[in-house]
Amino acid sequence: MLISLLHQSKFISLLFFFVLIKTLNAQPMHIYSYCYKSGNYTANGLYRSNLESLISVLRSQSYTKVFYSYVSGSSSTATVYGNYLCRGDVSSSTCETCITRASRNVLIACPVQKEAIIWYEECFLAYTNRQTLSISDFRPSIRQTTYTYTMYQSYFTNTLEYRMDLLIREAYSSSSYFAEETHQVSYLGEVYDLHGLVQCTPDLNQYDCYRCLKWAYKTTINAEKCCYGNSFALVYTTKCMLTYKASFLAPPLPPPPPPPPPLRHSRGNNSPDSDDSFSFKFKGEN
């Protein structure tokens, strides 16, 4: 009986451990929070009240909508404009979790600033006291990369530019402003899956979506600022997302060697098939 209880307790502990690991892996990944320097509000004032109402509405929409924009308040000095965008490849529950966490943490990171944006890998959330968030220069923005490289950087960069250009065109031409693909690349024995993802907020027109994504991509090929030749890059702005990653695969097996050529017997002096005879003498013979 005691042994059975011990086994049962061990099983429950292992089950709890695996559930915990799965839960931790599913948590949104925070990238960066940015607090604008355009002005502050008072802690108990009308702007804070409108901001909390805005945050509540955005959070309530996050399970059913990938993007949502809302205006809270009517006073010319206390109106708050905000929106969020979830990445197009995440589930509804992940979107909701990401926005819930973002809405809580942005107020911690920027406790009195009238404008702020918080980026997660799966979503971003922003608010401002201006009627529209700036789209003229797509800043602020955040960049991430990893310093691992492909063996043939020039070929990788050319392939990446071609594939990302196709994705950008697909995204700004679609109703969702979202596109992704995984394309296998094989070159001189190096094999990898190149995954790309691009997305714009739906409140942009097609031209501004195109401009935002092209601007984001251009930052990835700037060797001084970011990511030239790197196997991974992520660029998020206030209005669009762009990311790519090369996942290296095992190199293909080499082809089997060709069969050996058939043996050929020469018909020379040492060949048994030769008409010429041969002789040898044992030691001791006369």
Side-chain angles (χ1 to χ4, degrees):
M1 180 68 177
L2 179 60
I3 294 176
S4 176
L5 289 174
L6 287 174
H7 281 298
Q8 186 177 9
S9 175
K10 186 176 181 180
F11 173 77
I12 293 173
S13 298
L14 286 173
L15 182 62
F16 174 78
F17 174 76
F18 286 121
V19 170
L20 178 62
I21 292 297
K22 185 175 181 180
T23 302
L24 290 174
N25 288 338
Q27 295 304 310
M29 182 69 66
H30 177 252
I31 301 175
Y32 193 70
S33 303
Y34 182 82
C35 310
Y36 291 74
K37 299 178 181 179
S38 54
N40 297 339
Y41 59 83
T42 55
N44 298 316
L46 182 58
Y47 192 92
R48 173 71 185 204
S49 176
N50 289 339
L51 176 58
E52 290 177 350
S53 297
L54 170 80
I55 292 293
S56 177
V57 171
L58 294 181
R59 189 166 53 235
S60 70
Q61 298 296 317
S62 58
Y63 185 77
T64 58
K65 295 180 176 65
V66 172
F67 170 81
Y68 196 72
S69 179
Y70 188 72
V71 180
S72 178
S74 56
S75 168
S76 60
T77 58
T79 301
V80 190
Y81 306 85
N83 61 41
Y84 71 79
L85 178 68
C86 286
R87 216 172 60 195
D89 63 334
V90 303
S91 66
S92 297
S93 59
T94 299
C95 179
E96 181 183 36
T97 301
C98 190
I99 297 304
T100 298
R101 181 161 294 193
S103 64
R104 180 174 64 247
N105 290 338
V106 71
L107 296 177
I108 297 173
C110 308
V112 296
Q113 285 79 9
K114 289 186 176 182
E115 294 184 87
I117 183 168
I118 184 168
W119 290 281
Y120 283 76
E121 193 171 315
E122 298 82 2
C123 73
F124 66 75
L125 181 148
Y127 56 83
T128 178
N129 61 336
R130 294 175 289 129
Q131 190 167 359
T132 58
L133 291 167
S134 174
I135 61 172
S136 59
D137 58 5
F138 311 113
R139 286 188 288 263
S141 64
I142 184 68
R143 296 183 294 270
Q144 279 192 334
T145 189
T146 181
Y147 294 100
T148 57
Y149 304 92
T150 58
M151 292 173 60
Y152 307 100
Q153 291 188 34
S154 178
Y155 184 84
F156 171 76
T157 302
N158 291 337
T159 303
L160 177 66
E161 182 174 7
Y162 175 72
R163 304 309 308 183
M164 295 306 290
D165 186 64
L166 291 179
L167 276 182
I168 290 171
R169 293 177 183 275
E170 180 183 344
Y172 78 74
S173 301
S174 70
S175 59
S176 63
Y177 277 4
F178 169 79
E180 70 170 335
E181 72 160 11
T182 299
H183 177 76
Q184 188 170 107
V185 180
S186 178
Y187 183 71
L188 297 180
E190 185 178 49
V191 184
Y192 48 89
D193 282 339
L194 181 58
H195 180 258
L197 182 150
V198 294
Q199 186 174 3
C200 295
T201 58
D203 57 338
L204 295 182
N205 59 43
Q206 284 188 321
Y207 177 65
D208 284 331
C209 177
Y210 170 79
R211 287 179 58 234
C212 188
L213 292 173
K214 289 296 284 187
W215 182 89
Y217 176 69
K218 284 181 180 178
T219 67
T220 70
I221 57 177
N222 187 322
E224 295 180 358
K225 291 185 178 181
C226 184
C227 328
Y228 179 81
N230 296 11
S231 62
F232 164 79
L234 176 151
V235 181
Y236 287 0
T237 77
T238 59
K239 289 293 182 180
C240 65
M241 303 172 166
L242 180 147
T243 183
Y244 65 80
K245 181 180 181 180
S247 300
F248 294 95
L249 307 174
L253 294 175
L263 293 175
R264 292 185 178 181
H265 300 293
S266 62
R267 300 179 64 86
N269 291 337
N270 294 331
S271 171
D273 297 328
S274 171
D275 291 337
D276 298 330
S277 61
F278 65 96
S279 64
F280 57 90
K281 186 182 289 187
F282 287 106
K283 187 177 181 181
E285 286 186 345
N286 295 322

